[in-house]
Amino acid sequence: MRRAKISIIGAGNVGATAAHWMAAKELGDVTLVDIPALDGVPQGKALDLSQAGPIEDFDIHLTGATSYEPTTGSDVVIITAGLARKPGMSRDDLLQKNTAIVKAVTEQVKRFSPQAVLIVVSNPLDAMVYVAHQVSGFPAHRVVGMAGVLDTARYRAFIAAELQVSVEDIQALLLGGHGDDMVPLPRYTAVGGIPLPELLPREKIDAIVERTRKGGAEIVNLLKTGSAYYAPSAAVTQMTEAIIRDKKRLLPCAAYCDREYGVGGYFVGVPAKLGAGGVEQIIEVPLSPQERKLFEASVSHVRDLIRTIKI
Ligand code: APR
């Protein structure tokens, strides 16, 4: 059987760590790509990681490159290229620089892997996935952003710590943009099937929601030199696995919504079915007036940001 071909553009913290998780899961052959000025770095990381194969028992090919030829015909391409946040910066502060980077990268992806599913990780996420969609011209179901899996993972980790239960038993849903106005939905959060509001008082849930919204900044402030990468790379690995193995997983993703949730043609976080075709379905859940208000505020922030982009 042909092994899946995965390319990761940007061999920095998120990209290289994603390659690590993917190798450990033997998801497919992985090519790491970075800029020519860093020639040797993606090659060195790929070689180093491939030498962990005999120890960790994974049997895939890892390649590093500073050109796109080795990515030809990829099934999934992950874009992590771009600047990461430093303390005091919002994700939106990265907008202009990362727009130029994501545009340049997407042009190459389109040329070398016209049939790929494209997963965008670069921030500000909802705007960068929009750029990748515009520039690639790919059908919207083959372009998706990684944010919700990470944000719900943070939310689930905080709930598990508060309740002292396994993270495995926490299922959660989160909507909206990947910013401080993201919308975790306690009503759609369950612990072993029990709705969260049955287990925690309102104030505790509010505090967890707030910490989740600021989860990225909490790590930026601790690291001081960059932003989170272990959980983001694990999140993009889970999405890649859902696509490569056609798992039809229901995961919160930044997916293109037109009539769905009344969004009107933007990428925002919604529950999506991920399989071999990319985003195979968007699931619409009923929202209370308060939840809808929060969702619309988050979407309107995404819209405002996108209006300022010059692609
Ligand atoms: N083509 C390929 N790679 C590029 C390009 C480009 N045009 N421009 C930058 N890069 C590379 C950088 O050289 C660097 O190796 O992208 C990599 C980014 O890695 P880090 O600086 O370590 O940043 P990281 O933590 O991986 O975050 C990457 O993901 O989570 C988001 O906000 C984060 O936008 C940021 C992105």
Side-chain angles (χ1 to χ4, degrees):
M1 201 174 78
R2 175 185 170 273
R3 275 201 294 243
K5 185 161 177 176
I6 303 162
S7 292
I8 303 176
I9 318 301
N13 283 334
V14 177
T17 316
H20 184 174
W21 296 115
M22 289 179 194
K25 286 175 169 270
E26 289 189 315
L27 286 192
D29 292 336
V30 178
T31 303
L32 273 171
V33 177
D34 213 295
I35 50 175
L38 291 185
D39 197 38
V41 172
Q43 294 91 332
K45 289 187 182 184
L47 184 61
D48 184 12
L49 186 51
S50 69
Q51 292 166 356
I55 304 166
E56 288 295 318
D57 270 343
F58 56 77
D59 224 348
I60 57 151
H61 293 296
L62 287 141
T63 313
T66 51
S67 69
Y68 285 77
E69 282 80 10
T71 68
T72 302
S74 297
D75 300 295
V76 175
V77 178
I78 296 143
I79 302 184
T80 75
L83 304 183
R85 277 199 288 173
K86 303 260 163 49
M89 287 171 85
S90 73
R91 292 186 182 89
D92 296 356
D93 292 334
L94 304 172
L95 186 68
Q96 299 307 345
K97 290 217 161 86
N98 283 357
T99 296
I101 292 173
V102 169
K103 181 180 177 205
V105 167
T106 305
E107 281 162 355
Q108 297 301 315
V109 172
K110 178 182 180 175
R111 184 165 157 222
F112 286 92
S113 300
Q115 300 305 323
V117 176
L118 196 48
I119 311 180
V120 180
V121 181
S122 311
N123 273 313
L125 190 274
D126 311 279
M128 293 305 104
V129 65
Y130 182 90
V131 171
H133 177 234
Q134 291 285 308
V135 174
S136 66
F138 285 5
H141 65 91
R142 282 204 282 121
V143 184
V144 61
M146 187 293 293
V149 175
L150 168 64
D151 295 327
T152 45
R154 288 181 171 145
Y155 179 55
R156 290 162 65 198
F158 295 145
I159 294 168
E162 180 64 38
L163 290 171
Q164 304 264 297
V165 299
S166 166
V167 288
E168 284 176 40
D169 292 322
I170 299 167
Q171 292 275 319
L173 179 56
L174 189 145
L175 300 179
H178 184 48
D180 294 349
D181 50 11
M182 64 181 81
V183 190
L185 294 173
R187 222 158 53 87
Y188 289 112
T189 303
V191 182
I194 305 161
L196 184 63
E198 303 289 334
L199 298 175
L200 277 180
R202 179 72 188 267
E203 319 76 72
K204 286 263 190 242
I205 297 178
D206 288 348
I208 289 173
V209 165
E210 199 45 30
R211 191 170 175 201
T212 303
R213 289 199 175 116
K214 308 247 162 77
E218 182 176 357
I219 291 176
V220 170
N221 289 332
L222 289 166
L223 294 180
K224 298 185 183 70
T225 54
S227 53
Y229 54 99
Y230 290 110
S233 55
V236 77
T237 301
Q238 185 175 64
M239 291 171 70
T240 305
E241 181 177 21
I243 295 164
I244 296 283
R245 302 200 166 137
D246 193 22
K247 291 187 77 148
K248 319 278 187 208
R249 292 216 51 186
L250 282 196
L251 297 172
C253 303
Y256 182 81
C257 296
D258 192 2
R259 289 152 69 117
E260 296 87 354
Y261 291 94
V263 169
Y266 293 91
F267 285 81
V268 291
V270 287
K273 190 203 282 180
L274 279 193
V279 175
E280 297 184 349
Q281 192 186 347
I282 289 168
I283 316 292
E284 287 193 76
V285 295
L287 298 179
S288 69
Q290 172 65 5
E291 288 162 350
R292 175 146 291 278
K293 203 169 136 214
L294 291 171
F295 178 72
E296 277 169 8
S298 182
V299 173
S300 114
H301 179 184
V302 172
R303 251 186 235 124
D304 291 346
L305 195 63
I306 285 170
R307 285 202 187 109
T308 67
I309 301 180
K310 290 180 198 68
I311 301 177

